[in-house]
Amino acid sequence: MMRGENCGGCIMLEPSFTLLDSNKACGKLLRTRASKSGQSTPILLVNIGQLVTLRSGSGNSGPRRGRELRELGIVEHGAVLCVGGKIVSVGTMKEATRDSWIKKHSNKIREIDCSHKVVLPGFVDSHTHPAFISPRLTDFEKRIAGASYEEIAAAGGGIRSSIDSVRRAGKSALTEKVLDALNAVASHGTTTVEAKSGYGLSLDAELKSLQAIQVASKQWPGTVVSTLLGAHVVPPEYQDNRREYVSLVCEEMIPQTAKRKLAQFVDVFCDRGAFSEEDSLKILGAARQNGLQVRAHISQLTRTPLERVLSLNPLSIDHLDHVSDSDIALLARSNTMATLVPGANYFLGLGDYPPARKLIDAGAAVALATDYNPGSSPTPSMPFVLSLACTQMKMSPAEAITAATINGAFALGLAQNKGSLEPGKDADMVIFDVEDYRELPYWIASSRIDTVIANGTIIE
Ligand SMILES: [Zn+2]
């Protein structure tokens, strides 16, 4: 059984959190956070057919690599108790339900029978672009007819075609779109999301996008991490003066974002047709100077050597379709997550996928994300991404699940609270109507979600 040890059965959390009287388990106080919709009801999941905890078998507290990616910490016939949005105990039925507190408070606890079902930590989708207004249906048709990503961009489609509508949109309309996206990802089992700006590409429109993400995140029971992606592409009005746009990102967007606390991360699209390695280093350097963490889209269309970007200690670098063997060796020695987004390869019909097997076998830490966006990966579904990871990138179902949960949490710097089912962590859990975790990537494009719980609140 896994329990907090520091008070003989219950867990002391940060004193700034609200105190719930139902948390006087074992005669000690359990301080916890009230959910956004108010104080959540204690939840007890019982008779879980297969409880996938993701607890590290080796006690490793860092990102999972190599063989560790296959260690799911499965408990058969398990149970989980959550109080006030936090996990209190996890283990077999016998272990997790013997606390006398459960008997005393049985009338206050919501018990959910999970017989013949699988319970997983909520997915952590560490790469999404939800701040847009419309799908790109013309681009979709052009691509089907044979146009390439870059040909579509050159004809005024692609990222630039989303700019006008975002610039014109009111903050509330944009907020609605972001909230729709958050609800969509939750319906597929995601409880933590990284959300980028990046379709405004002016100071006002980027700040508006980040504000929309912030407002939407307050209305959603899950957890949102926001990222400034002012350096997505160079907007049309700076086409002949990209240096000036890079200065705008470094000297205005990043400082304003930091000052207003609108994002935790700054991202850059470092590739042909977007930003050069020099531009990207300048932008990420400005982010660090302003106290923001960094991440990057890199080596999607062409290779960028990783050494200099890795020297800035990004928590994650994403895409990596064209990563070289020497770059893989560098990544394996770093603490930076290699985040793969195979939904983009699928939707763009690229045929080739990022070299997940090489990365894993070399010892790099790998995460999976949807890259939810209107141009190259319009899917909110992490289970679909798991399917692609297994069938197209030859990751095992266990590796894919680890990459979509605990390693996603590491990619966002949230592994202390997210990505596994352990006492003291946030009560983010998904009940799937399947008997074996391998069914998640097996049933393609088929929702097997039974219940989604985020920060102790049932949202699906
Ligand atoms: Zn992206």
Side-chain angles (χ1 to χ4, degrees):
M1 183 174 181
M2 294 181 283
R3 294 192 58 100
E5 302 298 337
N6 40 349
C7 71
C10 56
I11 306 145
M12 299 298 287
L13 301 171
E14 292 95 272
S16 60
F17 288 170
T18 318
L19 175 67
L20 299 181
D21 74 341
S22 60
N23 293 331
K24 290 173 185 166
C26 314
K28 303 271 182 93
L29 299 181
L30 174 69
R31 289 174 190 275
T32 188
R33 181 175 62 179
S35 76
K36 290 170 193 172
S37 56
Q39 295 178 352
S40 58
T41 306
I43 297 171
L44 180 62
L45 306 186
V46 295
N47 302 319
I48 302 167
Q50 207 176 51
L51 169 59
V52 181
T53 67
L54 270 299
R55 184 174 66 140
S56 168
S58 61
N60 169 25
S61 59
R64 309 289 163 84
R65 303 163 188 273
R67 290 169 58 178
E68 293 169 340
L69 280 160
R70 294 172 185 243
E71 294 171 4
L72 296 182
I74 293 175
V75 176
E76 306 284 346
H77 199 54
V80 183
L81 173 65
C82 310
V83 182
K86 294 280 177 181
I87 295 168
V88 176
S89 57
V90 183
T92 63
M93 272 295 284
K94 201 174 159 193
E95 291 166 336
T97 60
R98 71 179 163 207
D99 195 320
S100 59
W101 184 89
I102 294 175
K103 283 199 187 90
K104 270 191 221 159
H105 297 85
S106 58
N107 59 338
K108 290 184 185 164
I109 297 174
R110 175 155 181 186
E111 191 172 300
I112 301 176
D113 183 67
C114 302
S115 301
H116 306 291
K117 289 177 181 165
V118 169
V119 171
L120 234 68
F123 293 122
V124 179
D125 190 349
S126 59
H127 181 146
T128 81
H129 304 251
F132 65 90
I133 297 294
S134 310
R136 286 199 215 128
L137 304 177
T138 305
D139 292 1
F140 183 44
E141 285 188 321
K142 279 187 181 165
R143 186 171 306 109
I144 292 166
S148 71
Y149 182 91
E150 286 156 305
E151 284 164 353
I152 288 169
I159 294 164
R160 290 182 186 90
S161 67
S162 292
I163 297 173
D164 282 350
S165 54
V166 167
R167 287 182 179 174
R168 279 198 310 269
K171 195 169 83 183
S172 61
L174 200 50
T175 302
E176 278 302 306
K177 292 291 181 183
V178 175
L179 195 53
D180 287 349
L182 296 177
N183 289 330
V185 298
S187 72
H188 293 275
T190 296
T191 52
T192 300
V193 182
E194 184 258 12
K196 305 175 198 291
S197 66
Y199 297 110
L201 306 184
S202 67
L203 177 63
D204 287 351
E206 284 298 300
L207 295 180
K208 177 175 69 181
S209 299
L210 291 173
Q211 285 164 345
I213 290 168
Q214 192 175 57
V215 174
S217 72
K218 286 180 180 159
Q219 295 170 29
W220 188 61
T223 302
V224 179
V225 173
S226 55
T227 297
L228 170 68
L229 181 56
H232 203 177
V233 292
V234 176
E237 64 271 26
Y238 286 92
Q239 214 46 241
D240 299 323
N241 198 352
R242 57 190 308 115
R243 194 180 293 177
E244 201 178 315
Y245 186 68
V246 172
S247 297
L248 174 71
V249 172
C250 293
E251 291 162 24
E252 295 191 54
M253 281 187 199
I254 291 172
Q256 286 287 335
T257 297
K259 191 174 154 202
R260 301 182 193 197
K261 296 187 169 36
L262 286 172
Q264 290 96 316
F265 287 95
V266 170
D267 194 345
V268 59
F269 185 13
C270 176
D271 220 316
R272 184 176 69 205
F275 293 87
S276 68
E277 187 186 3
E278 290 304 322
D279 291 341
S280 301
L281 291 167
K282 200 171 169 190
I283 289 161
L284 298 180
R288 296 300 300 260
Q289 278 170 12
N290 280 275
L292 296 170
Q293 298 191 78
V294 297
R295 52 204 315 112
H297 289 65
I298 203 160
S299 295
Q300 178 185 9
L301 307 170
T302 53
R303 177 184 173 233
T304 300
L306 297 185
E307 190 171 4
R308 294 169 76 198
V309 169
L310 287 177
S311 72
L312 291 167
N313 294 320
L315 270 190
S316 177
I317 53 174
D318 302 20
H319 283 283
L320 299 171
D321 296 66
H322 295 275
V323 68
S324 71
D325 288 353
S326 58
D327 291 333
I328 289 174
L330 283 177
L331 256 173
R333 289 200 295 273
S334 78
N335 283 322
T336 297
M337 190 64 62
T339 299
L340 309 180
V341 291
N345 300 68
Y346 170 83
F347 189 75
L348 296 174
L350 297 179
D352 291 331
Y353 282 77
R357 255 312 10 114
K358 270 189 171 183
L359 286 157
I360 292 169
D361 295 343
V366 170
L368 289 168
T370 61
D371 193 12
Y372 173 80
N373 79 76
S376 63
S377 189
T379 178
S381 172
M382 285 296 277
F384 177 57
V385 170
L386 296 186
S387 287
L388 292 176
C390 295
T391 60
Q392 307 302 307
M393 303 198 296
K394 310 304 176 198
M395 291 172 71
S396 71
E399 288 171 335
I401 284 172
T402 304
T405 53
I406 186 69
N407 271 8
F410 277 109
L412 298 180
L414 295 178
Q416 276 200 319
N417 294 312
K418 306 286 182 188
S420 64
L421 301 179
E422 298 180 75
K425 285 201 171 187
D426 296 339
D428 295 341
M429 302 178 291
V430 187
I431 305 168
F432 287 96
D433 197 6
V434 295
E435 295 197 20
D436 187 305
Y437 73 87
R438 292 172 293 184
E439 293 181 69
L440 299 185
Y442 175 87
W443 299 112
I444 307 162
S446 165
S447 178
R448 300 285 160 146
I449 301 276
D450 178 292
T451 305
V452 179
I453 299 165
N455 291 308
T457 299
I458 296 172
I459 55 175
E460 281 286 324

